[in-house]
């Protein structure tokens, strides 16, 4: 879900931080703690179908198999393959990788999309775990015409996307080198936990040659600079405060970076703890196409959001927390405690202190922030 970069001056960031209205803190319905967050997803109880080729994967999907195990590296072809789960017949589904950490979907997007369902109906109880997702650079470089324009195959290519989905667990996945955001959670999705995942880009992506110019949202930009992590909420109207008090998302023990340009962009009610934001490569200067390689933020706090951030470790990130609103008058809330900022650069917004009573409705046990880099690097991604 590619959205236009939101950039603001340092002065504007501070002004917004101190003048915007604070969002609601209404208690939230309690959810079980089994995922460390809002999701209580258990996925499918069906007998698993193991697939090793694209044709087997497509056959399992066409047959409505609700428990699919990916074994080995499955290539989706030079023009990508998207599997779209678009009805409530896909309630209670598990897509997972075989044990060993080698299950891979190359040039394949899993799209859970309930946007055409009747109002108030979402796809429910989804588990995706233990899978590597990535895009083949040489294939993407060959895209042209409508493939590289708004709504095209390339400009809409993510590893995972969730629209109008409720009760979702994404666990121990790695997503890299996708030409849109690596992942999105949008359109009134709710109760999502993303845990022990790794989001990054490779040096081969950042330094690709040729570096084609694409058009995601009406503005041309080079592909190498499109290094974006995640969107939570598509726009102001699809946010927590302005979109019906949904988009409850927990992100914990995830590894963002290296070679990340920016994001997650968060418009939901988001609880982040024990994540590692890694800008250890600290790209600087411009690339061959003349575009800046510098990271423009780590966390982007968007319109209608309520953000709780704690015990996260930011390493060499630039503008670690940036207020980036659709309109300067939009409301947001930003709270933080016990975060570590090591060798960070730029200007970062400072969150308010946590309230004495927490609104999450689930139990969790954050580890000491000093332990986060080693723990997350050792345990994020497929196993």
């Amino acid at each position: 879900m590619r959205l236009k970069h939101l950039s603001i001056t340092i002065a504007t960031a501070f002004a917004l931080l101190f003048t915007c209205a604070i969002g609601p803190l209404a208690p939230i319905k309690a959810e079980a703690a089994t995922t460390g967050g809002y999701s209580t997803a258990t996925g499918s109880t069906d007998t698993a179908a193991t697939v090793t080729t694209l044709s087997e994967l497509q056959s399992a999907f066409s047959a409505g198999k609700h428990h699919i195990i990916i074994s080995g590296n499955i290539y989706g072809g030079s023009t990508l393959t998207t599997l779209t789960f678009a009805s409530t017949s896909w309630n209670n589904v598990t897509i997972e990788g075989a044990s060993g950490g080698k299950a891979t979907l190359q040039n394949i997007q899993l799209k859970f999309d309930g946007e055409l369902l009747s109002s108030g109906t979402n796809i429910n109880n989804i588990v995706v775990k233990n899978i590597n997702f990535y895009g083949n650079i040489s294939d993407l470089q060959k895209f042209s015409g409508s493939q590289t324009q708004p709504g095209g195959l390339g400009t809409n290519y993510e590893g995972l996307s969730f629209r109008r989905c409720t009760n979702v667990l994404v666990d121990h996945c790695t997503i890299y080198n996708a030409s849109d955001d690596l992942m999105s959670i949008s359109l009134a999705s709710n109760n999502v936990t993303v845990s022990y995942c790794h989001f990054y880009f490779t040096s081969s992506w950042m330094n690709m040659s040729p570096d084609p110019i694409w058009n995601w949202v009406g503005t041309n930009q080079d592909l190498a600079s499109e290094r974006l992590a995640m969107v939570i909420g598509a726009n102001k109207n699809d946010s927590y405060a302005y979109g019906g008090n949904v988009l409850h998302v927990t992100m914990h023990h995830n590894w963002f970076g290296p070679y990340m340009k920016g994001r997650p962009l968060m418009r939901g009610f988001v609880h982040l703890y024990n994540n590692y934001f890694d800008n250890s490569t600290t790209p600087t200067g411009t690339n061959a196409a003349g575009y800046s390689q510098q990271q423009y933020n780590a966390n982007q706090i968007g319109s209608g959001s309520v953000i709780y951030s704690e015990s996260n470790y930011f390493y060499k990130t630039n503008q670690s927390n940036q207020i980036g609103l659709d309109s300067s008058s939009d409301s947001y809330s930003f709270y933080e405690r016990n975060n570590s900022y090591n060798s960070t650069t730029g200007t970062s917004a400072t969150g308010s202190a946590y309230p004495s009573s927490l609104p999450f409705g689930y139990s969790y046990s954050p580890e000491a922030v000093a332990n986060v880099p080693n723990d997350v690097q050792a345990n994020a991604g497929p196993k």
Side-chain angles (χ1 to χ4, degrees), residues 142-157 213-216:
K142 296 171 186 174
F143 278 21
S144 63
S146 62
Q147 296 171 321
T148 68
Q149 300 301 306
L153 283 174
T155 54
N156 271 8
Y157 168 46
I213 305 300
W214 288 13
N215 177 2
W216 281 265

Side-chain angles (χ1 to χ4, degrees), residues 238-310:
D238 182 36
S239 69
Y240 173 74
Y242 302 108
N245 292 354
V246 288
L247 283 172
H248 293 94
V249 178
T250 305
M251 293 191 287
H252 69 87
H253 294 91
N254 299 295
W255 181 3
F256 293 94
Y259 293 111
M260 197 69 71
K261 192 72 174 284
R263 304 186 175 174
L265 165 54
M266 300 170 289
R267 297 185 177 97
F269 194 113
V270 183
H271 180 203
L272 308 101
Y273 67 91
N274 288 154
N275 298 287
Y276 178 42
F277 294 89
D278 171 19
N279 194 36
S280 56
T281 55
T282 58
T284 59
T286 58
N287 59 22
Y291 292 83
S292 172
Q293 294 289 60
Q294 185 180 28
Q295 184 180 68
Y296 72 86
N297 65 29
N299 281 329
Q300 189 168 347
I301 298 160
S303 297
S305 64
V306 178
I307 309 300
Y308 285 82
S309 173
E310 62 179 306

Side-chain angles (χ1 to χ4, degrees), residues 4-162:
K4 187 175 181 180
H5 294 182
L6 296 171
S7 60
I8 56 175
T9 65
I10 293 172
T12 303
F14 274 137
L16 288 171
L17 178 64
F18 288 108
T19 61
C20 281
I22 299 300
L25 287 174
I28 296 166
K29 181 181 178 181
E31 302 292 345
T34 53
T35 69
Y38 285 113
S39 174
T40 59
T42 55
S44 176
T45 59
D46 291 356
T47 301
T50 298
V51 299
T52 61
T53 66
L54 179 61
S55 61
E56 289 177 354
L57 173 61
Q58 291 172 321
S59 293
F61 171 76
S62 297
K65 298 293 185 183
H66 276 55
H67 188 178
I68 300 174
I69 296 177
I70 310 299
S71 180
N73 187 326
I74 300 178
Y75 174 53
S78 61
T79 55
L80 311 178
T81 294
T82 297
L83 299 183
T84 302
F85 304 78
S87 74
T88 54
S89 68
W90 289 109
N91 288 351
N92 312 315
V93 65
T94 297
I95 313 294
E96 63 177 317
S99 62
K102 296 182 179 180
T104 301
L105 296 179
Q106 178 188 173
N107 284 8
I108 296 173
Q109 176 180 200
L110 301 185
K111 183 177 182 181
F112 294 85
D113 188 358
E115 62 184 309
L116 297 182
L117 298 175
S118 60
S119 178
T121 301
N122 285 12
I123 303 171
N124 182 60
N125 191 21
I126 302 164
V127 174
V128 179
K129 62 182 180 180
N130 216 40
I131 302 173
N132 299 286
F133 298 82
Y134 79 94
N136 184 295
I137 295 172
S138 62
D139 288 336
L140 295 170
Q141 286 173 307
K142 296 171 186 174
F143 278 21
S144 63
S146 62
Q147 296 171 321
T148 68
Q149 300 301 306
L153 283 174
T155 54
N156 271 8
Y157 168 46
E158 305 174 284
L160 275 170
S161 64
F162 299 94

